[in-house]
Amino acid sequence: AFFLSCARPSMDAHEPPNMNSPFQWIVFDYGNVLSDAQDPIAVSAMAAILNVSTAEFLPAYFEQRGPYDRGDMHGPEFWKRVASAIGIAIRPNSVSELIELDIKSWIRTRPEVIQWANSLTNHSFNIAILSNMPHEQSQVFRANQPWLQTFHKSILSAEINLRKPELPIYQHMLR
């Protein structure tokens, strides 16, 4: 099997793929490809719960995101580390709301790209998702995205304790 990472969000969903392509698999990322960019309103709400500005929040959030996406920790530990990086203590009753908002911030899909990806199966391509996603989000994602069933493979980072851009996750995809 060949491997192709494909992100063509501006492509017309009715444009046929190149039938002379040597590729058998087309692999999509979820974030910013099959989904919209992270919702800034949800990001602002997470920052507000921690009582900091978005500018203070985002560096701490993304600094901790890699281990969280890899599955090294679950939501409560992630949010404790984010708060610690900001220099505050987190209120225990805030954790579930932060997890929910974080999931919500990434949930908006791009139907036109999903439709185009699904159309590729009509042209003998296998389609897959390879995405960084923490445990809590992957559970909600698998339970609430019925279109995911049309993908031949879906590899979500925390489920296999690997993450992009680390080489082993790409090797796992090729198996």
Side-chain angles (χ1 to χ4, degrees):
F2 291 93
F3 179 78
L4 171 66
S5 178
C6 180
R8 300 198 47 193
S10 63
M11 182 175 187
D12 180 353
H14 303 311
E15 183 178 322
N18 177 355
M19 294 309 296
N20 296 320
S21 172
F23 297 103
Q24 297 173 356
W25 283 88
I26 300 182
V27 180
F28 294 85
D29 194 356
Y30 176 72
N32 298 313
V33 178
L34 297 172
S35 75
D36 282 332
Q38 191 174 25
D39 181 3
I41 295 170
V43 170
S44 294
M46 289 184 279
I49 289 170
L50 296 174
N51 218 13
V52 296
S53 70
T54 303
E56 292 172 284
F57 169 73
L58 285 173
Y61 174 85
F62 284 112
E63 177 185 317
Q64 301 302 320
R65 192 65 191 208
Y68 186 39
D69 283 342
R70 189 184 308 106
D72 295 347
M73 65 184 94
H74 287 271
E77 178 65 20
F78 169 72
W79 287 106
K80 179 181 173 186
R81 290 184 183 191
V82 170
S84 178
I86 294 169
I88 62 171
I90 193 164
R91 295 183 322 269
N93 59 343
S94 300
V95 172
S96 61
E97 187 177 4
L98 286 163
I99 292 169
E100 187 177 315
L101 279 167
D102 190 33
I103 293 168
K104 181 181 176 185
S105 76
W106 293 106
I107 205 73
R108 299 173 306 148
T109 58
R110 300 175 77 184
E112 71 282 2
V113 180
I114 294 168
Q115 179 184 1
W116 179 75
N118 285 328
S119 75
L120 295 173
T121 62
N122 296 329
H123 299 282
S124 301
F125 287 101
N126 295 300
I127 57 175
I129 294 176
L130 176 64
S131 191
N132 287 336
M133 195 175 291
H135 290 290
E136 291 86 352
Q137 185 179 354
S138 66
Q139 291 168 355
V140 171
F141 179 72
R142 288 198 184 280
N144 294 292
Q145 301 293 349
W147 54 265
L148 183 60
Q149 302 307 314
T150 62
F151 282 69
H152 299 97
K153 274 188 183 182
S154 58
I155 297 174
L156 307 177
S157 61
E159 295 175 350
I160 58 170
N161 295 104
L162 300 169
R163 72 177 275 271
K164 299 182 303 169
E166 298 163 355
L167 179 61
I169 198 167
Y170 298 104
Q171 293 168 328
H172 185 88
M173 178 67 223
L174 293 172
R175 291 185 198 136

